Amino acid sequence: MKSYRIALVPGDGIGRDVTDAAWQVLERAARGAGFGLEGTAFPWSCAHYKETGAMMPDDGIAKLRGFDSILLGAVGWPAQVPDNVSLHGLLLPIRKAFVQYANVRPHRLLPGVVGPLRKTEFDILCIRENTEGEYAGAGGRVHRGGPDEVAVETSVFTRKGVERILRFGFEQARRRTGRLASVTKSNAQKYSMVFWDEVTEALAPEYPDVTVTSYHIDAMAARMVMAPESLDVVVASNLFGDILTDLGAAIQGGLGYAASANLVPDRSAPSMFEPVHGSAPDIAHLGIANPIAAIWSGAMMLEHLGEQAAADAIMAAISATTARGIGTVQGREKTGEITAAVLAALG
Ligand code: IPM
Ligand code: MN
């Protein structure tokens, strides 16, 4: 029997509850489809930092490298560890070390979920550059604490990085409706964003079946609210994609439905799958976290592993659950009840 080795990193807060929920659903789906999943859990988290002084051990990346995929819950517990320390100690190094350059986030309404927009027929796939750009981490501070203190943080856009994320976007568009929206701010940022637009234009002739349109980030934010049905695949830099995907989560009814994949398209290293929501310390002990975003992320993992039928079965089970009104109102059902409904729908 075919079997996949999955690294489980539940992390902090509700990350633990939703990873547990997603894993139950994944195991059930795997059994139904006739393949195995072997999960290995890692305790890396802010609690681990408090115990050991590090979010993950020095050989953490080496440990993860041998797995087929990583399923991650959430990272961050700001009351104990500053967010910039926890994120730069666990989530961000994994994305960068494995060059998970394509952060893929689907935004559409599940049946029975009422979003904030009047328009309800939309299906947007956001592709966020995940390794460089505004989050490259190039910068510094001088004259710390003094009145002349200076902080600089420089965006880094490489031809390699821009080209590969755009190609990924073109390829996704080709598989969907053939429409690609490329997001920049080239009217104001005249180096990096003009460069991005130029690379987009240079690649376009290689994808004659894709219609590519460039938008500025501010106009795109408005468009996602006013005319989300006009969009299909949206490709953006790290910062812009980060912001647009929280907007995408909002229009799909909330962060409880926002799934994501951090993909290594050439499969030279494991990809990582995680819900977009964070650790949510405010509700972490209540058992009311919506596991749907994590379960959907798990379905994306199976799709990436080539188990399309099992991925489709999970998506159908999620839809059947929300269509019955379960998991559609924040906090109404417990995490366990929503999970049980998805498992029941899976059969
Ligand atoms: C996300 C998160 C992270 C990001 C943070 C926690 C660093 O907001 O996955 O969107 O910006 O990448
Ligand atoms: Mn974000």
Side-chain angles (χ1 to χ4, degrees):
M1 188 171 74
K2 203 166 183 188
S3 186
Y4 303 95
R5 295 184 62 231
I6 310 300
L8 301 169
V9 185
D12 298 298
I14 65 168
R16 313 186 74 78
D17 306 349
V18 299
T19 306
D20 177 65
W23 187 246
Q24 290 180 49
V25 172
L26 286 164
E27 283 193 308
R28 177 78 60 94
R31 214 176 314 133
F35 63 89
L37 289 176
E38 188 197 323
T40 305
F42 295 92
W44 306 336
S45 58
C46 290
H48 190 261
Y49 182 95
K50 288 304 237 189
E51 276 169 39
T52 67
M55 292 296 293
M56 65 175 160
D58 287 345
D59 64 350
I61 294 294
K63 282 208 164 86
L64 293 176
R65 195 176 286 278
F67 287 87
D68 292 310
S69 279
I70 304 160
L71 187 68
L72 184 131
V75 178
W77 199 263
Q80 290 205 316
V81 182
D83 275 342
N84 68 75
V85 173
S86 58
L87 272 317
H88 282 279
L90 184 54
L91 177 68
L92 300 175
I94 297 174
R95 289 180 181 167
K96 283 186 190 165
F98 295 142
V99 199
Q100 297 170 338
Y101 68 81
N103 188 326
V104 180
R105 297 179 165 182
H107 302 296
R108 59 176 190 268
L109 282 167
L110 291 168
V113 175
V114 179
L117 302 184
R118 278 201 301 270
K119 303 260 177 69
T120 55
E121 297 296 316
F122 56 86
D123 184 354
I124 301 173
L125 191 70
C126 276
I127 315 280
R128 164 188 177 190
E129 202 293 318
N130 214 24
T131 56
E132 54 171 43
E134 306 87 342
Y135 295 179
R141 287 168 67 170
V142 290
H143 310 304
R144 262 188 198 251
D148 296 327
E149 182 161 7
V150 179
V152 282
E153 186 139 1
T154 306
S155 299
V156 175
F157 287 88
T158 64
R159 184 172 289 279
K160 183 175 171 184
V162 173
E163 188 173 318
R164 70 187 175 195
I165 195 66
L166 283 166
R167 282 192 187 282
F168 187 84
F170 274 108
E171 272 147 31
Q172 296 300 309
R174 172 171 273 179
R175 279 198 229 134
R176 290 168 49 106
T177 70
R179 285 172 298 141
L180 178 66
S182 170
V183 180
T184 62
K185 185 63 188 173
S186 49
N187 53 354
Q189 295 194 292
K190 60 184 179 176
Y191 303 112
S192 57
M193 298 284 94
V194 171
F195 173 58
W196 179 294
D197 281 352
E198 283 173 11
V199 177
T200 308
E201 272 172 46
L203 292 178
E206 292 184 45
Y207 303 88
D209 48 333
V210 175
T211 308
V212 58
T213 311
S214 290
Y215 295 94
H216 295 312
I217 176 68
D218 42 0
M220 177 54 76
R223 177 170 288 269
M224 279 179 66
V225 172
M226 303 299 288
E229 75 288 354
S230 69
L231 296 165
D232 181 19
V233 179
V234 174
V235 61
S237 67
N238 212 333
L239 169 68
F240 292 172
D242 186 20
I243 298 168
L244 286 181
T245 54
D246 261 38
L247 179 57
I251 67 171
Q252 75 188 129
L255 282 147
Y257 309 105
S260 82
N262 301 272
L263 295 183
V264 183
D266 71 4
R267 292 162 196 273
S268 57
S271 295
M272 176 166 67
F273 301 83
E274 48 159 343
V276 177
H277 64 66
S279 60
D282 51 330
I283 61 157
H285 301 296
L286 302 177
I288 57 164
N290 194 331
I292 289 179
I295 297 171
W296 188 340
S297 304
M300 294 174 83
M301 181 178 89
L302 295 188
E303 187 178 345
H304 182 72
L305 292 172
E307 299 294 346
Q308 188 66 49
D312 291 346
I314 292 178
M315 290 314 297
I318 291 175
S319 295
T321 300
T322 56
R324 287 170 57 211
I326 298 173
T328 56
V329 175
Q330 170 61 37
R332 192 174 57 198
E333 291 93 12
K334 297 270 186 188
T335 309
E337 292 171 70
I338 303 171
T339 310
V342 176
L343 287 169
L346 256 184

